[in-house]
C-alpha cells in the first residue's frame, strides 16, 4: 500500500538558519505532492504544491523540491523565524480524490 | 470567498453514546468533502470522502459512518462511541484533487 514517511518527528533549529524537512513515499508515483502547515489545535493550512514535472517550487521563504527517482520531497524554510514553529505535513493524492498524509515534522525555531 | 464550518468545537461523550459531527461549506459548489481523524501526536487518518450527494467512500472499517444529505453538508456519526474514537476530527473540502481546505476541527474525548 502507499506510504508516506516524514523522517524527523521533531526538528529544532536556531533562528535565521534554514530548516529542511524530508518526505519520502513508497509504492506510488504521484502526479504531485503538497505541503501543509498545522498549528496546535488547528486544521492544516496549504502551503505549496509541486508537480512531478517540476523539480523546484518557491514561495517567499519556502522552497520545495521533488525527486521522483528518489521518491522524495524536501521542504526548506530559509531565514527561519520563531513564528515558523509548527508541524509540517506532506501529502500526496492517490487516484483522483484520496489524499494520504505523512505523520508530520514538528519544527521549533529557537530565538 | 469560501468558508468551512465545523461544530461542535469540543465534545466530551461517554462510551456507548451516539455521535453526530457536522460540517458545512460555503462559497463553492459540488466540492469533494472529507472527514479525517488525528490522534494525539499522530498524522491525519482519512475516514470518509464524498464526491457528491449520497456518495460516500469509507477508508477505514469501524463504528463510524458518514452522510452527505446536501451538496455542502457532511455529517459524521456513530451509534455507539468507543474509547478509541477519541481524537481531533477534521473536515476538509477540495475541488477536483487540488488543495484541501480544512475546518477548525472538533476535539472529541470519549470517557
Amino acid at each position: 500500500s502507499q506510504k508516506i514517511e516524514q523522517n524527523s518527528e521533531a526538528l529544532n533549529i536556531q533562528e535565521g538558519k534554514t530548516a529542511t524537512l524530508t518526505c519520502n513515499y513508497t509504492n506510488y508515483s504521484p502526479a504531485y505532492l503538497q505541503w501543509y502547515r498545522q498549528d496546535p489545535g488547528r486544521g492544516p493550512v496549504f502551503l505549496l504544491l509541486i508537480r512531478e514535472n517540476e523539480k523546484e517550487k518557491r514561495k517567499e521563504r519556502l522552497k520545495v523540491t521533488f525527486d521522483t527517482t528518489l521518491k522524495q520531497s524536501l521542504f526548506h524554510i530559509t531565514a527561519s523565524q520563531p513564528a515558523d514553529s509548527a508541524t509540517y505535513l506532506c501529502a500526496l493524492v492517490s487516484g483522483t480524490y484520496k489524499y494520504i498524509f505523512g505523520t508530520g515534522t514538528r519544527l521549533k525555531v529557537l530565538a | 470567498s469560501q468558508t468551512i464550518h465545523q461544530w461542535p468545537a469540543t465534545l466530551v461523550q461517554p462510551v456507548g453514546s451516539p455521535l453526530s459531527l457536522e460540517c458545512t461549506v460555503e462559497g463553492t459548489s459540488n466540492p469533494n468533502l472529507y472527514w479525517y481523524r488525528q490522534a494525539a501526536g499522530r498524522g491525519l487518518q482519512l475516514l470518509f470522502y464524498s464526491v457528491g450527494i449520497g456518495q460516500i467512500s469509507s477508508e477505514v472499517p469501524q463504528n463510524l459512518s458518514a452522510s452527505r444529505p446536501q451538496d455542502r453538508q457532511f455529517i459524521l456519526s456513530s451509534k455507539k462511541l468507543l474509547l478509541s474514537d477519541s481524537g481531533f476530527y477534521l473536515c476538509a473540502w477540495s475541488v477536483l484533487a487540488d488543495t484541501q481546505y480544512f475546518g477548525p476541527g472538533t476535539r472529541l474525548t470519549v470517557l
Side-chain angles (χ1 to χ4, degrees):
Chain A
S1 62
Q2 295 116 358
K3 192 175 179 182
I4 291 188
E5 289 183 341
Q6 293 187 245
N7 296 25
S8 302
E9 189 172 315
L11 180 65
N12 292 342
I13 64 165
Q14 209 61 39
E15 182 177 8
K17 301 292 186 183
T18 296
T20 299
L21 284 62
T22 305
C23 177
N24 295 292
Y25 58 93
T26 57
N27 298 328
Y28 190 62
S29 297
Y32 53 86
L33 190 143
Q34 303 177 357
W35 283 89
Y36 291 78
R37 168 182 172 144
Q38 186 176 23
D39 291 288
R42 311 283 294 270
V45 174
F46 171 78
L47 295 174
L48 281 169
L49 178 153
I50 186 165
R51 302 184 188 282
E52 60 178 339
N53 61 348
E54 297 174 317
K55 291 201 179 302
E56 183 179 298
K57 197 88 168 272
R58 291 176 185 263
K59 179 182 176 183
E60 298 173 351
R61 294 185 295 111
L62 308 180
K63 184 179 85 171
V64 173
T65 62
F66 194 12
D67 188 325
T68 55
T69 302
L70 292 178
K71 293 186 181 293
Q72 181 180 79
S73 175
L74 298 179
F75 177 80
H76 307 271
I77 305 175
T78 58
S80 58
Q81 305 166 0
D84 296 325
S85 298
T87 295
Y88 292 86
L89 304 165
C90 65
L92 58 81
V93 178
S94 172
T96 307
Y97 306 111
K98 179 181 161 184
Y99 292 72
I100 301 173
F101 281 82
T103 52
T105 295
R106 193 171 59 253
L107 173 68
K108 187 170 183 179
V109 181
L110 305 170
Chain B
S1 63
Q2 301 93 356
T3 55
I4 179 169
H5 304 279
Q6 278 187 251
W7 64 92
T10 60
L11 193 58
V12 180
Q13 292 284 97
V15 169
S17 64
L19 174 74
S20 181
L21 302 181
E22 189 164 342
C23 170
T24 59
V25 180
E26 296 176 358
T28 187
S29 295
N30 197 29
N32 297 327
L33 295 173
Y34 301 80
W35 279 112
Y36 291 89
R37 179 170 62 201
Q38 188 173 35
R42 304 289 294 276
L44 296 175
Q45 179 188 29
L46 178 61
L47 301 175
F48 302 94
Y49 66 93
S50 170
V51 301
I53 295 175
Q55 299 178 61
I56 308 293
S57 296
S58 172
E59 287 299 305
V60 183
Q62 53 203 326
N63 66 321
L64 299 174
S65 62
S67 62
R68 185 171 177 173
Q70 299 180 43
D71 181 45
R72 289 169 287 180
Q73 184 185 29
F74 206 20
I75 297 171
L76 182 69
S77 304
S78 174
K79 292 182 179 178
K80 286 186 177 183
L81 283 169
L82 307 172
L83 284 174
S84 58
D85 291 324
S86 293
F88 189 45
Y89 287 81
L90 288 158
C91 179
W93 70 271
S94 70
V95 175
L96 300 177
D98 209 322
T99 305
Q100 287 217 302
Y101 298 93
F102 286 84
T106 295
R107 175 77 59 193
L108 171 65
T109 303
V110 183
L111 301 175

